[in-house]
Amino acid sequence: MTKSEDSPAATRKTEADWIASLNDGRVVYYEGERIKDVTLDPKHRVAIDHSALDWRMAHDPEPAVRELTNTSLNGNVVSRYFEPPTSAASLDRRRQLIVDQTTRGLGYLVFVREVGTDALNGLRLATRAVDAAHKTDYYDRVISFRDDCAKNDLAMGMAMTDPKGDRALPPSAQAADGSYLRIVERGASGVVIRGAKVNITACPYVNELFVLPTRSMVPGDEDYAIACAVPASASGVVIVSKPLPAEDDEFDYPISSRARHTEGTVFFDNVFVPNERIFLNGETEFAGAVAEGFATWHRFTGLSYKSPMADMLVGAAALMADYNGLSGDKVIREKITDLVIYAETIKALNTAAALNGRAGDDGFFYPDPVASNLGKYYFATNYHNCIRILQDIAGGLTVTGPSHRDLQNPELRQYVDEFLGGREGVSGVDRLKAFKLVRDLTATEYAGTWLVATLHGEGSPAAQRLAINRAYDVDGMRDWMAGVLKSIEV
Amino acid sequence: MTKSEDSPAATRKTEADWIASLNDGRVVYYEGERIKDVTLDPKHRVAIDHSALDWRMAHDPEPAVRELTNTSLNGNVVSRYFEPPTSAASLDRRRQLIVDQTTRGLGYLVFVREVGTDALNGLRLATRAVDAAHKTDYYDRVISFRDDCAKNDLAMGMAMTDPKGDRALPPSAQAADGSYLRIVERGASGVVIRGAKVNITACPYVNELFVLPTRSMVPGDEDYAIACAVPASASGVVIVSKPLPAEDDEFDYPISSRARHTEGTVFFDNVFVPNERIFLNGETEFAGAVAEGFATWHRFTGLSYKSPMADMLVGAAALMADYNGLSGDKVIREKITDLVIYAETIKALNTAAALNGRAGDDGFFYPDPVASNLGKYYFATNYHNCIRILQDIAGGLTVTGPSHRDLQNPELRQYVDEFLGGREGVSGVDRLKAFKLVRDLTATEYAGTWLVATLHGEGSPAAQRLAINRAYDVDGMRDWMAGVLKSIEV
Amino acid sequence: MTKSEDSPAATRKTEADWIASLNDGRVVYYEGERIKDVTLDPKHRVAIDHSALDWRMAHDPEPAVRELTNTSLNGNVVSRYFEPPTSAASLDRRRQLIVDQTTRGLGYLVFVREVGTDALNGLRLATRAVDAAHKTDYYDRVISFRDDCAKNDLAMGMAMTDPKGDRALPPSAQAADGSYLRIVERGASGVVIRGAKVNITACPYVNELFVLPTRSMVPGDEDYAIACAVPASASGVVIVSKPLPAEDDEFDYPISSRARHTEGTVFFDNVFVPNERIFLNGETEFAGAVAEGFATWHRFTGLSYKSPMADMLVGAAALMADYNGLSGDKVIREKITDLVIYAETIKALNTAAALNGRAGDDGFFYPDPVASNLGKYYFATNYHNCIRILQDIAGGLTVTGPSHRDLQNPELRQYVDEFLGGREGVSGVDRLKAFKLVRDLTATEYAGTWLVATLHGEGSPAAQRLAINRAYDVDGMRDWMAGVLKSIEV
Amino acid sequence: MTKSEDSPAATRKTEADWIASLNDGRVVYYEGERIKDVTLDPKHRVAIDHSALDWRMAHDPEPAVRELTNTSLNGNVVSRYFEPPTSAASLDRRRQLIVDQTTRGLGYLVFVREVGTDALNGLRLATRAVDAAHKTDYYDRVISFRDDCAKNDLAMGMAMTDPKGDRALPPSAQAADGSYLRIVERGASGVVIRGAKVNITACPYVNELFVLPTRSMVPGDEDYAIACAVPASASGVVIVSKPLPAEDDEFDYPISSRARHTEGTVFFDNVFVPNERIFLNGETEFAGAVAEGFATWHRFTGLSYKSPMADMLVGAAALMADYNGLSGDKVIREKITDLVIYAETIKALNTAAALNGRAGDDGFFYPDPVASNLGKYYFATNYHNCIRILQDIAGGLTVTGPSHRDLQNPELRQYVDEFLGGREGVSGVDRLKAFKLVRDLTATEYAGTWLVATLHGEGSPAAQRLAINRAYDVDGMRDWMAGVLKSIEV
């Protein structure tokens, strides 16, 4: 099942076909203006081309690349992201695929495959429990929708985070109806939903959007307990893509000019969702399980793509140290080792999450939730410190040096050549390039977005702490110690 | 001496006069193009207007403001930055002035006064030692230049950091001559210097640039051991202002659209410096003392302006918690307390540096070097963590929400109103404003520049560690413990 | 007032007289057995001799030492701890005295003077507020008792911490009456108190015990809102001294064999307290102020004595590095610098607390509460890390090496000489001594007690966080930022 | 091979037989006095009984326990520690066995099995390389010795750490010959060794001592490059057991009175080692590989036994919070979560090290070296912080409360009952027990020894940093980034 027997992947879309599929009449706004065709917008096109990597690799002339990227399912060659995870080894293949693609993507994952299959994998587990309790058929709908997405080679996004309003209150107790997406009408063939979802990576260029509850719910929250899938082009879906900085010069922005996603807000203005696309509908007691089922998978994804990002921090630090003549400095090397420890801890926890995965009762394997949550928590809460270390090693020229346009002025170029070189053999221009690299990783809007995304992507650190705590038997350890003391006579 | 007797400050320049003084034919490049008159360039003008605060306050209708801003020297009303620091109380007044101006400046100091008087104060101490050893008259030159700057109400900048090339080697051992600014010609009336200085805040809009050695030097480095002052408009001075992001919308960039400095590189292409402006010339063994003398003062300045910045982080966190309905959440309050501890530690060390100041042998007081270095080190190495805490409290909408232009589209504005509000009473627009505030403090290019500047401004953390260590008697403590053990008979 | 005019301190007790005063019939238990005379018990005698330092110094042949130790009050020479703090300089003298005595005391303060005058100074401030609200005369009682303690040269301790029972409940809501000390009878001439106080340093060898409320209280807690002073020999006072480890060999325990205090529990079994020794009696709304008034002073004391302790950590680390041949190792030096930063931050915050002290309305100066709390919090929460650094530098022999008795076996002594030496010139015995020093500072019961005492002495870290937060205007900063945003039009 | 077919383990020694084997004439000193028979010395007997757990479990009436503890090898039932690790699952069984035994052992591993098999497993890998390079037959000797140890059910210890003298110099450059153990004579049938090894856990009660080089060596160090095995009773072996505190009361020392090892120094006073017990002899270039081979295995062991220790910290914290009525306090729960994260990170890295193990060229599996080193480094550098958290939660009574003997005095017992109880339902005695538990885990000599052992056991943190760094391709990452920049044209 994990082998791609049908190379050269005739049944997978080409890059061009997939990109063309995005020009489907969807409503996308950028800086207040409607974009007719996102595939023609230069800023979005960088991100779309980045996402298209999975389709490019699907048809790569190199068999090993196709083998890594594709698998077969129901007789079709499909993206390996749809490989049913029936073993720990399968989880590890998924990990390797994400690592490989993120490495090619200069630290940015493809995203439009991972997040959707994370949702499908999470829903598969959660819906079995709902079905058992409520005699619903959500599980079959999930499987069927999964097969469709695989066969049609669709890009998927995740609309999960509600605006939340007053975070101390449940959805049904909010002052404003709009703080959580909700069902405003229920009919025989489906429901109508209204609301906003925020922090949605890649929303302008996916085919399908999953809508999941963002938290556990209580009785009274029935209208907010909705999980479903909605085409990005569905009537009533309004996508607002966030402003993108002018990071298009390769010299000034060596990473973000080439590796980019966009984020945005999606408004659901009375969108009809037919029954076969609904995976939870009012069963409030399962809202938390649906959210957590996705989150565990997605944190495993986060751990996987964070690994090459951490490697890039090491590489940039080592390059900067080299150019500054400090490769042999013991204190600098200790700082680089701190970055190495960051990278390797992520890898080790990622590997643990895969290899220690366990089968659910339908035979699917799930990444170890504790390792997945620990890993996400670790990389999120230590990232800012790594940024500090890299900036510390690099120095102030990271943010103050001349730009690409300055270099195009021959007089200034001459000054740069004469004055700004590094250790013997490193020209001023090469050293400036390295500073721009560090800047793009640590001090541009792209970098700032990553600071926030590293914390809050895949759920905020508080969510991981809760999950880790819940999985651990604190009371059992307390009772163990109480028992040890009980045996002592006084 | 500390009273400003001559209000309303007739002898201080007006804001307009000072700004006009910047249109003096100086050579400034921006993105490769020569800027004719920096005062007319909109991006630079924001920074110039920001710097002009000291001149505005000098003529403020409110006497208390003038009293704070001005002092009298040699019969003239001058900027209080030129107040000779003859007591700990005087140091504390300087601290208070910087705190006040930086608070008005939304976290950004005036800069064009502080750094220059830091240099003058540092040079005053260091040159006495040089004069004593070498029978030079640098001290008198410093005093005379100080009086001129005060009387003529000049803005001053600091050109200190050399490009350094191979950091493991001293200036004279570099592969390239250009890695450190150097004297290329010595004449009876002065010297000619050539080289680059980097990381120069405010360089396009100061009247005078101090040139100081960036490190201690060794015999052989004589041509690099130069301290002097150069007009920004001197022949051969080429200023390259770094690219500034498009942070001009007040909604999207509530801080950086209004409070800004620029940084840049200054090339000295055979600039002649007359003797009366030279404060060190080849006395290599004093290069370190000159650098350190300035650094201690400037770290004290850094501590002073960092205090309001830290207060802003607390304020932004508290505002965000309030808008999200989490003011009463105990865990959120603990996080805010961590920010409070950051702010208060900076204040306490800043106060300690002032009140524990001591007189040098010329009667001038100097801020306590240990507290100054500790304070700089503390705020530099804990800043990234504070940014993390603020982002953690705020959430993902910090970087993904709609922009000002989106709000100008009525349909999108309606969605924002309906969906993005906070706790009861907080509209979607107000909540978005708060997110933009957090973004501007933590995730824009402005914020990224601060991350680097907080580390490397006023010298890198390694420099503070060295200074702290040098001031502490490690060997004495070792010998104390050895002595305690020696008394034990075996 | 701060000068000791009456040297050689005729009106101060001699060491012998003070020690004799402790044999007063007090009830002290040790390991379940009543100790008749604590001054004859060898384990307690080490601590008593340690405490006696202040009396020894009072009569030191060296005038400068007497000058430091004594002052005059109401015509008598008294301990300088009773100097009325009428200026910031006076606070700083107190700081210097504690630093000096703790340095002589190998890291352990005299304690029996500091804590009591901290109480008297704190009560002075707090009782003025009580008197103003309740027309009581507590302030006069405090002054009168202060003068008595000074004139009679008494050692004082502090009985503050109640056992607390259920920490989530106020005193009057506890399941057991005994969880907080309380008034069980009120009469015309005084009250009868019953309860326990825990964590009482030096309780077996003080003359007077202050009893203060441990927390803020609510209406209903009237019987628990009691502040008073009780002689250690009063009827009903039962002192239980905690077990002391056998740390009496100078080689094996180079510090704790010589510098020691004991802690213990004091039970108050219906102890009568006459009115003139009562400083709060039922005014629940002031319980918190009384506790905090003492705490601020005592945290300032904590900061003062912690400074030499931190110096000892640096000294031990430097000695160990030296003996192991690693003085020149850059990475080891960075670790020692981390310890230096710890020591210097404590000193700087301590100095800030003194120099930034302010006068209350009775003219007494009080140490800056923010710096005092910050300082205590800093040293408490970073101490374990410093212990780690010191152990890291030293290595495993710290806890596994041969003992003093082993060295008395000639065969083993020979092995130690042959095999266990350090860098050239460091004998096996000297190196072992250094390991024992590190062990005594980091890994004995003495060290373990310090780990806990550093956290909880002078109040737990949570108490400091509360105090720091309370002193900071979080809401003001929030409103500042809200105001900045308000001015932006959308 | 992993099944124990021969229950009830007839071929494994009984506990009594193994203990009897320790009375073999060995030379053990304690506090300078020779101990005739360690099995009769009460302090050592606690440790011996602790170690005997593996022999007790071998004959446990419960088949599952025997199954866990034993395996079969060459037709004999042997301790599972001798199971040849031929798969990742086998590594994980070893992990589980250590976790199980350490849990039964209240946080202390059996040790006398783990460390020796770690050595044998490490030597197996390293000696193949030596044999290949030098045509030696060390590998066969290792296998043969391994079989002997297994069949004879021997306890083994590790003598690795040399006193080192001047750590900046290699063995052969030391001022004193004694700083590293060395070969003083080479003969046809074996060698004679002389020197000391320090930090040797369990040395008084093992049957065999491994002697391994402690570091990599250079040409000239031939006499120091020795790996071998020596019976503890061999002529010339002098064991000096370190002083043990009087931690024998179960109430006062609930853990260390029952779970204990001893450490010590072993002097090798011209000990003859026959050829068949020599595994490295002068091949200096392999000294580092031998050390590292053992270290990786032993760090994996360390990770395994640290896991239950971390659980105990959580349990003690939760118990204390419960008794103090703070189970529901959000801030306390966050602190407990920090301990949970510590425990779970150790488990996850431990699991990763097992499941990601790889086969060497002889088919043996080795734990993943990166995860093993990361795990050791993680638990070592975060342990002191966890101790701080536990002490912070518990409070000062941890170190100041009455003792067991105090409770035996009826009057004092009554006070404890009346005053020292916790939340409703928790008696004073029970609460005191919990404080003693926290004390024993954090503030006794036992706890202090753990602070050091956690850092330096299995090698100091610096050794792990080196190993982690060496396994990571820093240069490769640098070149990746350089390549990314190279493609950018200027």
Side-chain angles (χ1 to χ4, degrees), chain B residues 24-39:
Chain B
D24 56 3
R26 63 185 58 202
V27 178
V28 177
Y29 284 91
Y30 182 75
E31 291 280 33
E33 304 288 333
R34 173 93 187 265
I35 295 178
K36 287 273 157 57
D37 179 354
V38 283
T39 70

Side-chain angles (χ1 to χ4, degrees), chain B residues 56-77:
Chain B
R56 280 197 295 283
M57 286 174 68
H59 301 278
D60 195 278
E62 182 65 54
V65 174
R66 295 200 307 275
E67 174 66 31
L68 175 75
T69 314
N70 301 326
T71 191
S72 75
L73 183 72
N74 305 333
N76 295 309
V77 173

Side-chain angles (χ1 to χ4, degrees), chain C residues 110-409:
Chain C
V110 162
F111 194 85
V112 300
R113 312 292 341 209
E114 294 89 336
V115 76
T117 46
D118 288 340
L120 289 163
N121 289 341
L123 280 166
R124 189 170 157 141
L125 184 64
T127 52
R128 284 177 72 93
V130 188
D131 289 354
H134 290 275
K135 314 273 175 207
T136 44
D137 63 343
Y138 295 139
Y139 179 81
D140 291 343
R141 295 179 188 177
V142 169
I143 298 301
S144 169
F145 187 70
R146 190 184 206 280
D147 289 346
D148 281 357
C149 290
K151 198 175 73 184
N152 297 315
D153 221 0
L154 300 182
M156 297 160 290
M158 170 55 58
M160 187 172 198
T161 308
D162 295 280
K164 289 180 186 161
D166 188 327
R167 293 194 193 177
L169 301 175
S172 52
Q174 296 288 323
D177 275 347
S179 293
Y180 284 82
L181 182 138
R182 71 196 190 282
I183 299 168
V184 290
E185 202 184 312
R186 284 189 166 89
S189 59
V191 302
V192 176
I193 58 177
R194 178 169 192 80
K197 291 282 191 173
V198 302
N199 306 335
I200 309 186
T201 303
C203 52
Y205 45 91
V206 293
N207 302 105
E208 292 285 346
L209 281 165
F210 282 94
V211 173
L212 294 192
T214 199
R215 51 173 287 172
S216 55
M217 294 190 183
V218 295
D221 289 341
E222 284 74 14
D223 289 345
Y224 305 90
I226 171 76
C228 59
V230 175
S233 60
S235 173
V237 171
V238 177
I239 296 166
V240 181
S241 189
K242 78 159 208 183
L244 296 166
E247 296 172 344
D248 48 10
D249 185 283
E250 289 208 350
F251 180 88
D252 293 337
Y253 299 92
I255 302 299
S256 59
S257 64
R258 300 188 276 183
R260 177 189 293 174
H261 278 295
T262 74
E263 290 93 27
T265 308
V266 179
F267 297 106
F268 295 82
D269 189 348
N270 293 2
V271 176
F272 173 73
V273 186
N275 285 336
E276 65 271 19
R277 288 171 158 266
I278 297 176
F279 313 126
L280 189 78
N281 180 354
E283 299 84 357
T284 52
E285 76 274 30
F286 288 101
V290 166
E292 197 65 23
F294 161 68
T296 298
W297 275 95
H298 197 44
R299 284 162 200 170
F300 177 60
T301 289
L303 259 178
S304 306
Y305 77 71
K306 202 70 189 181
S307 173
M309 287 193 72
D311 289 340
M312 289 170 73
L313 299 184
V314 177
L319 185 65
M320 209 67 246
D322 175 24
Y323 281 9
N324 286 338
L326 297 174
S327 290
D329 184 277
K330 275 184 85 173
V331 175
I332 295 289
R333 275 159 59 188
E334 291 291 315
K335 291 177 183 179
I336 292 177
T337 301
D338 285 335
L339 296 178
V340 169
I341 288 171
Y342 180 70
E344 289 288 26
T345 301
I346 292 169
K347 271 178 230 175
L349 292 173
N350 196 7
T351 303
L355 298 185
N356 206 25
R358 266 151 298 183
D361 54 11
D362 65 346
F364 257 42
F365 268 62
Y366 299 92
D368 180 58
V370 173
S372 300
N373 276 286
L374 275 177
K376 164 69 224 291
Y377 182 75
Y378 174 81
F379 79 62
T381 52
N382 289 281
Y383 184 66
H384 293 65
N385 189 44
C386 291
I387 295 305
R388 181 179 67 80
I389 292 170
L390 177 49
Q391 292 174 336
D392 185 18
I393 290 173
L397 263 173
T398 300
V399 291
T400 65
S403 72
H404 195 190
R405 287 211 203 144
D406 286 327
L407 292 178
Q408 284 154 355
N409 177 318

